[in-house]
Amino acid sequence: MLQVLQGHIQPAAHRGRKTRLVTKDGRCNIEFGNIEYSNHFAYLLDFWTTFVEIRWRFVLLLFVASFTGSWFVFSLLWYWIAKSNGDLTGQNRTDGHVQCIDNVNGLTTAFLYSLETQTTIGYGGRALTGHCAGTVALIIIQSLIGVFINCFMCGVILAKISLPKRRAKTVTFSDTAVICLKKGVLCLLLRVANLRKTLLIGSQIYGKLLRTTTAPDGDTIILDQVDIDFMVDSGKDNLFFVCPLTLYHVINTSSPFYELSADSLPHQDFELVVFLDGTAESTSSSCQVRTSYIPQEIQWGFSFLPIISRTKTGKYRVDFSNFSKSVRVTTPHCVHCFETDADQRSHNQENQDKQQKLGIDNLGFQVIDIHDSMDVTKM
């Protein structure tokens, strides 16, 4: 039995809130508890990944602290050398006293000299005299440490800026998914768009259905995962992602949505997580885009509005104002209803074909009885 519904545009809206494992923008809503204290040292061993993944506020704090701290530590060493040599103001200097560092006569000037040395400013007011071997060794050590800090902090900042998940921000999914007929079969459809003109090479799309199930032995399985296959008209691998694509999942006997109907869908408890993997054309970095749909965000009996048109100049135009909008269409109430109607139509078609094979009466054809015997002439 088909639902004949009046067509009207349905704007995308979140009709309800539910605890998600994956948010709409792809973040995972999970936390770890009761981790052994020794396992925290694993983050220090993998310090590069730790620094790249921490928040920007901590990176900026680390940036300021590393440079300022190194300047101050070495300023104390320069101050100690100057004090040991008697270069500071107020110390008793003998005639012919040779300073280790010119114009370093206190902690402030020692800090300025440390800053100028490590940043290679070199104003010329403060400099080594070359009469103390310790100052030569110390300036070499500070220069090497300064170069190391510069390289490390520049690498961290560059790595954070070029993270693949930043590229994923320019790939978006439709706010809702729809269920309707496509090419004579019932399908679940959703949209995905690349907001940049550069392509995602080798794009692949797939999904996971997360739900709580009960095992045959009675154990409850939380976040049980079921594979969901998505495809486009050209296939499901190596998508040509130059314009928004409509992905669809065929609802058949192997689909976990096979038992659903228009009435039971809003009352279900599951989460459909959709993944898109690809390689950025401009940076050659792999990225993954994620989003999720709960039952309240899946519209039964709707179809997406068209968004691609052609301008007078011959260019293809994408109207993103209709990207997540849908319109009601004639859709079966459930998969079983659709299959029953299809079987009935197939049975009726078979009966019609059978009747055509048996033949029909031709009203223009007359039957005549012949009583006289025919003469046969033999040659």
Side-chain angles (χ1 to χ4, degrees):
M1 180 177 179
L2 298 179
Q3 290 181 331
V4 182
L5 306 173
Q6 296 180 353
H8 68 277
I9 295 177
Q10 174 73 19
H14 304 291
R15 294 177 289 175
R17 290 188 178 184
K18 174 184 175 293
T19 301
R20 302 174 182 265
L21 177 64
V22 179
T23 61
K24 297 296 288 185
D25 58 356
R27 291 177 296 176
C28 295
N29 182 26
I30 191 170
E31 64 179 15
F32 300 100
N34 299 326
I35 301 178
E36 295 182 2
Y37 181 76
S38 59
N39 291 334
H40 290 287
F41 289 102
Y43 294 99
L44 297 178
L45 296 177
D46 188 17
F47 66 92
W48 176 255
T49 305
T50 301
F51 285 129
V52 171
E53 291 183 349
I54 59 177
R55 296 176 180 269
W56 272 107
R57 61 176 70 99
F58 299 113
V59 172
L60 296 178
L61 178 62
L62 178 64
F63 181 86
V64 174
S66 60
F67 282 104
T68 306
S70 63
W71 298 337
F72 181 73
V73 170
F74 279 99
S75 70
L76 295 178
L77 297 177
W78 292 119
Y79 178 80
W80 175 74
I81 291 177
K83 184 177 180 179
S84 300
N85 193 53
D87 297 339
L88 301 181
T89 302
Q91 288 183 313
N92 296 326
R93 300 179 183 177
T94 60
D95 295 337
H97 175 76
V98 178
Q99 294 183 336
C100 290
I101 311 170
D102 288 334
N103 297 324
V104 174
N105 48 28
L107 184 59
T108 302
T109 54
F111 180 81
L112 292 176
Y113 177 72
S114 176
L115 186 152
E116 294 170 10
T117 299
Q118 190 166 326
T119 56
T120 65
I121 294 176
Y123 289 120
R126 279 169 287 272
L128 297 181
T129 60
H131 295 286
C132 301
T135 57
V136 178
L138 184 59
I139 197 171
I140 293 175
I141 295 173
Q142 183 173 7
S143 299
L144 293 177
I145 292 177
V147 170
F148 176 80
I149 295 176
N150 287 335
C151 294
F152 182 80
M153 293 309 304
C154 289
V156 170
I157 294 175
L158 180 61
K160 286 190 67 67
I161 293 176
S162 59
L163 280 177
K165 63 181 181 181
R166 305 301 175 189
R167 177 63 177 89
K169 298 295 183 182
T170 55
V171 178
T172 181
F173 287 89
S174 57
D175 295 333
T176 58
V178 298
I179 294 179
C180 63
L181 290 176
K182 180 178 178 62
K183 295 183 179 181
V185 293
L186 199 62
C187 299
L188 183 144
L189 290 80
L190 55 91
R191 271 178 174 166
V192 60
N194 179 18
L195 302 181
R196 289 188 179 275
K197 292 185 178 180
T198 55
L199 301 180
L200 284 177
I201 304 172
S203 300
Q204 295 182 350
I205 187 76
Y206 57 96
K208 297 287 184 180
L209 185 67
L210 308 179
R211 58 186 178 182
T212 301
T213 60
T214 302
D217 56 358
D219 293 337
T220 301
I221 303 176
I222 300 177
L223 297 180
D224 183 27
Q225 301 184 19
V226 180
D227 291 334
I228 303 294
D229 292 330
F230 283 95
M231 62 185 67
V232 295
D233 293 334
S234 58
K236 64 178 181 178
D237 295 330
N238 298 325
L239 306 178
F240 185 43
F241 206 5
V242 68
C243 61
L245 299 176
T246 300
L247 312 171
Y248 64 90
H249 164 73
V250 178
I251 303 178
N252 49 26
T253 54
S254 61
S255 171
F257 303 112
Y258 183 74
E259 301 295 334
L260 296 182
S261 66
D263 296 332
S264 63
L265 175 62
H267 306 288
Q268 298 297 315
D269 184 16
F270 64 80
E271 181 178 354
L272 175 61
V273 184
V274 184
F275 303 86
L276 174 64
D277 297 337
T279 302
E281 184 181 31
S282 55
T283 61
S284 299
S285 58
S286 301
C287 65
Q288 182 183 84
V289 192
R290 299 179 295 268
T291 192
S292 68
Y293 298 92
I294 57 177
Q296 289 73 25
E297 295 170 342
I298 301 177
Q299 300 173 323
W300 192 296
F302 287 81
S303 179
F304 288 118
L305 290 175
I307 59 175
I308 300 178
S309 60
R310 195 168 185 177
T311 62
K312 295 180 180 180
T313 58
K315 291 185 177 181
Y316 292 93
R317 182 176 182 272
V318 180
D319 184 10
F320 278 98
S321 63
N322 292 334
F323 181 70
S324 294
K325 291 183 179 180
S326 56
V327 62
R328 280 192 181 272
V329 293
T330 302
T331 307
H333 183 265
C334 62
V335 183
H336 297 288
C337 300
F338 176 69
E339 291 179 346
T340 301
D341 292 340
D343 292 341
Q344 186 175 0
R345 289 193 300 268
S346 177
H347 181 68
N348 293 337
Q349 184 66 31
E350 290 178 358
N351 291 337
Q352 292 178 1
D353 294 342
K354 195 181 223 181
Q355 290 178 358
Q356 290 178 358
K357 290 180 180 179
L358 293 176
I360 58 176
D361 294 335
N362 190 346
L363 299 179
F365 197 84
Q366 295 182 358
V367 178
I368 301 175
D369 295 333
I370 300 177
H371 301 286
D372 298 335
S373 59
M374 298 179 60
D375 296 334
V376 178
T377 304
K378 296 182 179 180
M379 298 294 295

